[in-house]
Amino acid sequence: MANHTDPKKQCSIQPDTLAMYQKARQEGVETVWERAQAQEPQCGFCSLGLSCRNCVMGPCRLDPFGEGPQRGVCGADADIIVARNLARMIAAGAASHSDHGRDLVETLLAVAEGHAPGYQLTDLAKLDRIAAEYGIPADLPPQAKAKELALAMMAEFGIHKGHLTFAKRLPAARLAIWDRLGIAPRGIDREVVETMHRTHMGVDNDPVNILLHALRTSLSDGWGGSMIATEVSDILFGTPSPVASQVNLGVLKTDEVNIILHGHNPLVSEMIYRSSQDPALTGRAQELGAKGINLVGLCCTGNEVLMRKGIPMAGNHLVQELALLTGAVEAMVVDYQCIMPSVGQVSTCYHTHLITTSPKAKFPHAQHLEFTPENALERGREVVKMAVENFADRKPERVLIPVAPVNQVSGFSVEAILGALGGTSAPLLDAIKAGQLRGAVGVVGCNNPKICQDLGHTTITRKLIEHDILVLDTGCTAVANAKAGFKDPGAAALAGPGLKAICEALKIPPVLHMGSCVDNTRIMHLAAALANALGVDVDKLPVAASAPEWYSEKAAAIASYAVASGIYTVLGVTPPVLGSRMVTDLLLNGLKGVVGACFAVEPDPEKAAGLLIRHVESQRQALGLDSRL
Ligand code: BF8
Ligand code: SF4
């Protein structure tokens, strides 16, 4: 298999993945790993960012060895082509998060106007806090306040004047840097559209100018679209607080109707959750011989319902096909993003219904049941009913649920973390100042078949907590770390003595799950709050970020807004930029002098952990705190 890090020349460190991969081989079902192998050798031009198909004078590709063409037909050189490609990648990621945010805002408006019968305003205190940030009068009743808020947020997607509202959570020094560079995000959609414009042939041909706008586009995601998605989800479905649950494919049940919720947006999954509690449907499941209805999550929709409802998590990105291979899934319900087109084909090998729900995301071999704010409650019932009736078609002889589940505690929103600390960030800062806690690192992002599944996430996380660094995780990392047992409060024993004592006192694990990938904005919000409390800009904090196994354009946007917000970020997979020395140097070095942070790329997770630890310690030293450098 391609590029697997020695000595673990296998596709995963996880027993459930390995067992199901074996079953896939026995049953002749193709998975992501065979397809990855079939792509070898992958295109060298594309890997270096040196191919362009932005117009039909091309496609063009430049010779990295300097012998063949050094310019595309239009005259674009390597620096221009690489910068344009990276900018488009970031724009696609920002668009995905932000369009997800928009769907939530539209639902918030529908709730406020009274035509979204399944939904409600769940966290009114949060509605009050967010509305206050938007300058909406405090004395409005909740429905009217929600309507004003939805309209104000919608305006931020378009031509907005001044800073995005949530960017004001940052220290003034950070906003001043953005203003000076001209990268303060304006309207959320506007920056994405402008990236597409600038990267059209014959528009922006200054690679630095292109990349600065790419950063601005990422910021419109991090402090705009994604942050709106997180905050509106909390208003509609509740702000997460610590909740016990379980993780891995062992959460599927041999004697229950299993429904997998996969994708990213909680709008659909919350309605399925409600219907799964309906006595008429659970009764029907029992008539058919099932003990009940078992909802489980996958990927970020899974993180959303885990954080708020404690619904168990079946797995991360590379588990999506394998979950169907258990033969125990009556329905996989998907919304959008990171859902491999292959799941339709795999579902046809079993009795599983693949159900698509968004007009934006239709799949081969799927049944489409479209959800809208108006019909979602009724649709949720329909979907659960379909799954229940499908239990009769399960073939018990084909079922394999390979492992027992692992316990985890999830639900660490910013509110929950500060709540556990008595309402302020002061105890956290005191622990950092005293050196008991060295700092905090966000370990986030995807799986990628180029990397042994979860090896990067878990190796880095383990090293960091051993070094008394608190780990905050989201997305697919969160699943990897939970499966490794790092989210059981007992995992405090794996931490260094300082972090261990804190975890034991607060009864929390050393790795705090902060949610889905749009919830990386919770990490940003916490970083901004710490910087404000300390009276410094974010780039001075003893914090860092890491995306050890990233694959997605969304991850490129996240990493970019982290860096542009002042957070040093270590990537485990090389982005397609090495074809331009100038772009590579800007990302790895030059940005430091511009936004106070830069990227690093380190495929070896042990060494990546070393980089992160060194960064945290050197930040401590610069702050005048004790340092283990
Ligand atoms: O948004 S971590 S593989 S599931 S992109 Fe996708 Fe990556 Fe997983 Fe969530 Ni995020
Ligand atoms: Fe080739 Fe330029 Fe067209 Fe790209 S934009 S495909 S480099 S001619």
Side-chain angles (χ1 to χ4, degrees), residues 39-311:
Q39 287 295 331
E40 289 293 328
Q42 288 184 319
C43 173
F45 298 100
C46 293
S47 301
L48 296 171
L50 285 175
S51 52
C52 178
R53 49 179 179 77
N54 287 11
C55 85
V56 294
M57 293 193 286
C60 302
R61 45 190 200 176
L62 309 189
D63 183 354
F65 304 111
E67 286 159 16
Q70 295 300 296
R71 292 182 189 278
V73 175
C74 66
D77 64 13
D79 299 332
I80 295 171
I81 289 178
V82 169
R84 280 197 313 218
N85 288 341
L86 180 62
R88 283 197 169 197
M89 189 179 208
I90 291 168
S96 305
H97 287 143
S98 298
D99 202 41
H100 161 176
R102 184 199 332 272
D103 284 341
L104 284 152
V105 175
E106 286 187 337
T107 305
L108 181 66
L109 183 63
V111 172
E113 291 179 337
H115 48 83
Y119 301 96
Q120 64 199 42
L121 302 172
T122 298
D123 189 339
L124 293 177
K126 182 135 198 179
L127 171 65
D128 287 346
R129 287 199 303 280
I130 302 296
E133 286 189 66
Y134 274 79
I136 293 164
D139 54 359
L140 287 180
Q143 300 293 118
K145 196 178 271 186
K147 179 167 180 172
E148 290 296 309
L149 180 60
L151 293 174
M153 286 173 160
M154 281 176 176
E156 292 198 317
F157 279 85
I159 299 180
H160 175 74
K161 303 285 179 212
H163 290 127
L164 293 176
T165 302
F166 288 138
K168 294 177 200 148
R169 291 173 168 181
L170 280 158
R174 180 63 23 188
L175 298 183
I177 290 174
W178 294 354
D179 286 335
R180 199 163 61 242
L181 293 169
I183 63 167
R186 300 158 298 176
I188 296 162
D189 291 346
R190 176 181 182 165
E191 307 307 359
V192 174
V193 170
E194 193 171 311
T195 297
M196 299 312 284
H197 177 195
R198 287 186 188 222
T199 53
H200 186 280
M201 203 297 281
V203 186
D204 201 348
N205 289 301
D206 176 338
V208 175
N209 210 39
I210 295 169
L211 290 174
L212 285 174
H213 184 71
L215 291 185
R216 182 189 236 174
T217 306
S218 73
L219 290 170
S220 80
D221 171 7
W223 298 90
S226 275
M227 203 168 262
I228 286 174
T230 292
E231 302 297 33
V232 175
S233 296
D234 285 356
I235 292 169
L236 289 174
F237 307 120
T239 303
S241 57
V243 58
S245 187
Q246 293 189 314
V247 64
N248 76 27
L249 285 176
V251 303
L252 293 166
K253 302 265 171 57
T254 48
D255 51 5
E256 295 194 31
V257 173
N258 291 307
I259 303 177
I260 293 184
L261 306 168
H262 181 17
H264 284 78
N265 195 321
L267 285 168
V268 167
S269 48
E270 288 278 342
M271 290 304 111
I272 309 260
Y273 171 76
R274 287 198 27 190
S275 294
S276 73
Q277 316 264 299
D278 183 334
L281 291 171
T282 49
R284 177 65 184 148
Q286 280 157 4
E287 272 171 37
L288 291 169
K291 282 205 177 130
I293 300 171
N294 181 39
L295 288 192
V296 305
L298 254 177
C299 289
C300 285
T301 290
N303 281 320
E304 297 276 352
V305 289
L306 166 65
M307 287 275 282
R308 296 197 180 86
K309 305 271 186 288
I311 289 176

